Amino acid sequence: MDLQNQRKKSNKSHSPHRKGNTTHVLLYIPNIIDYIRILFLCLFCYVARTDRCAAALCYFVSFALDELDGNLARYLGQTSEFGMLLDILIDEASVTALCHVLATFYPVYTLAFQMFSILDFCGQWSIYHFAARFRNNDYKHQDNWLTKIYFNSYVPNLFWVYGNHVFLLSLYLGHGDPGPTVPIAGWQVGLWNLLAYLSAPWAVSRLCIMLVTLVDRMYRLALMQHRSSSQGGGDVNGHLTRMTNGTNGAHIQRLHANDD
C-alpha cells in the first residue's frame, strides 16, 4: 500500500453516493474488482514457488487493478468504508505474501523480510486507525515535514509506492536469474538486478517513513490518553479534534492548544 493510493482510499469512503443507488455495497463494482484482486493474490501464492513468471504476472495484475478500483469508485459514486478497508487489507496482504516467499528464496535475509512485512503492515494500520478515529478519514493532514512530503507530494509518492513493489518483484524474479542483460557503461547488467538496485532506496526510505509514522501515531495516542486520564478521564478524541458544522456539512477542526 502505498500512499499515492491513500488519497484514493480517503476519497473512496467519502465521495457522495449517486442518488438512487440501491446496489448492495458488497456488489459495488470497485469492490468486485477487489474480489478479483484477492483471486489473483491467491493464484500468486499458489504458483509462487513453481512458476515465477505466472506468479509475477498475477501480482502485477492485482496491483494494476488497485489503480483502477479507486477511480471507478469515484466515477460511479460507489464509495464505501467497506471498500476502503478491503482495499488496504489486500494491499498489505500482497506485500506480506511476497515477503514470505522472498524469505524462503533468501533464507539468510529472513529476518529482514519479516521486519519489512511487519513495519509495512503496522505503519499502514496506524495511518488508517488514526485517520479513521481522530481525523474523519483525512489522510492528507500530517504533522511533520517527512510525512507531509510522503502523503501530499504526488511525484515523490509515485516513486515510493511503485518503487516498493518494483523492489520486491525484482528480488523475486531475480532469484537465480538476473534477467535479460542491459549494457551500462560497458558492463552487462541483469535487468532484475538493475531494477532492484534502482528501486531499493525508494523501498527502504518508504519503510523508514512507515516506522516514523507508526511511532508518531502511537506516541500521540499515548499522549492523548495520558492527558485525558490526568484531567479526570473523558473521551480521548476531545484532546485532538472537535466536530463543527459548516456550509458543506460536518468537518474536522484540529485542536492543538495542548500540543504547543
Side-chain angles (χ1 to χ4, degrees):
M1 132 258 135
D2 321 341
L3 262 278
Q4 171 202 4
N5 294 332
Q6 291 297 350
R7 294 188 185 90
K8 173 194 75 176
K9 291 164 186 166
S10 180
N11 291 333
K12 200 173 179 179
S13 64
H14 281 88
S15 298
H17 293 223
R18 288 185 176 179
K19 293 181 180 180
N21 188 352
T22 59
T23 305
H24 195 286
V25 66
L26 294 175
L27 299 178
Y28 282 1
I29 292 177
N31 295 340
I32 292 175
I33 292 176
D34 280 339
Y35 305 150
I36 296 174
R37 290 186 63 203
I38 294 175
L39 174 61
F40 276 103
L41 176 58
C42 292
L43 290 174
F44 165 80
C45 295
Y46 182 73
V47 301
R49 296 296 301 273
T50 58
D51 191 334
R52 278 184 293 174
C53 289
L57 179 61
C58 290
Y59 189 94
F60 176 80
V61 170
S62 178
F63 177 69
L65 290 175
D66 185 32
E67 297 299 309
L68 176 64
D69 62 1
N71 292 326
L72 276 177
R74 292 189 296 273
Y75 178 76
L76 298 174
Q78 294 184 340
T79 59
S80 65
E81 185 78 12
F82 171 82
M84 181 182 68
L85 181 57
L86 180 63
D87 202 43
I88 294 173
L89 291 175
I90 297 172
D91 289 344
E92 294 312 302
S94 299
V95 172
T96 300
L98 184 50
C99 283
H100 285 186
V101 174
L102 290 173
T104 65
F105 282 2
Y106 306 93
V108 68
Y109 297 111
T110 295
L111 179 60
F113 290 119
Q114 288 174 333
M115 294 307 301
F116 192 107
S117 174
I118 291 171
L119 289 178
D120 188 81
F121 179 86
C122 291
Q124 292 287 354
W125 172 85
S126 69
I127 293 167
Y128 172 77
H129 173 79
F130 201 86
R133 183 174 181 188
F134 301 116
R135 288 180 175 163
N136 199 30
N137 281 332
D138 179 11
Y139 296 95
K140 295 182 181 181
H141 188 93
Q142 299 298 319
D143 301 301
N144 65 70
W145 65 270
L146 182 61
T147 52
K148 281 181 181 178
I149 294 175
Y150 181 71
F151 283 81
N152 295 290
S153 300
Y154 181 74
V155 175
N157 185 261
L158 282 178
F159 281 98
W160 271 313
V161 171
Y162 290 103
N164 186 59
H165 290 283
V166 169
F167 175 66
L168 295 175
L169 271 179
S170 297
L171 292 178
Y172 174 73
L173 290 171
H175 176 64
D177 178 14
T181 57
V182 179
I184 298 180
W187 294 82
Q188 297 295 320
V189 182
L191 177 61
W192 309 137
N193 292 340
L194 177 63
L195 290 176
Y197 282 117
L198 291 176
S199 58
W202 294 101
V204 173
S205 59
R206 177 186 175 277
L207 200 65
C208 292
I209 293 173
M210 290 296 103
L211 176 59
V212 169
T213 302
L214 174 61
V215 173
D216 176 74
R217 295 297 182 268
M218 296 304 293
Y219 172 77
R220 288 177 181 276
L221 182 60
L223 189 62
M224 288 185 288
Q225 187 68 63
H226 172 71
R227 287 172 177 169
S228 176
S229 299
S230 64
Q231 294 176 12
D235 187 4
V236 176
N237 293 13
H239 292 268
L240 183 71
T241 61
R242 64 184 173 88
M243 297 297 294
T244 62
N245 292 321
T247 57
N248 294 324
H251 64 278
I252 294 294
Q253 285 189 341
R254 302 173 62 250
L255 294 181
H256 277 301
N258 293 329
D259 290 345
D260 298 331

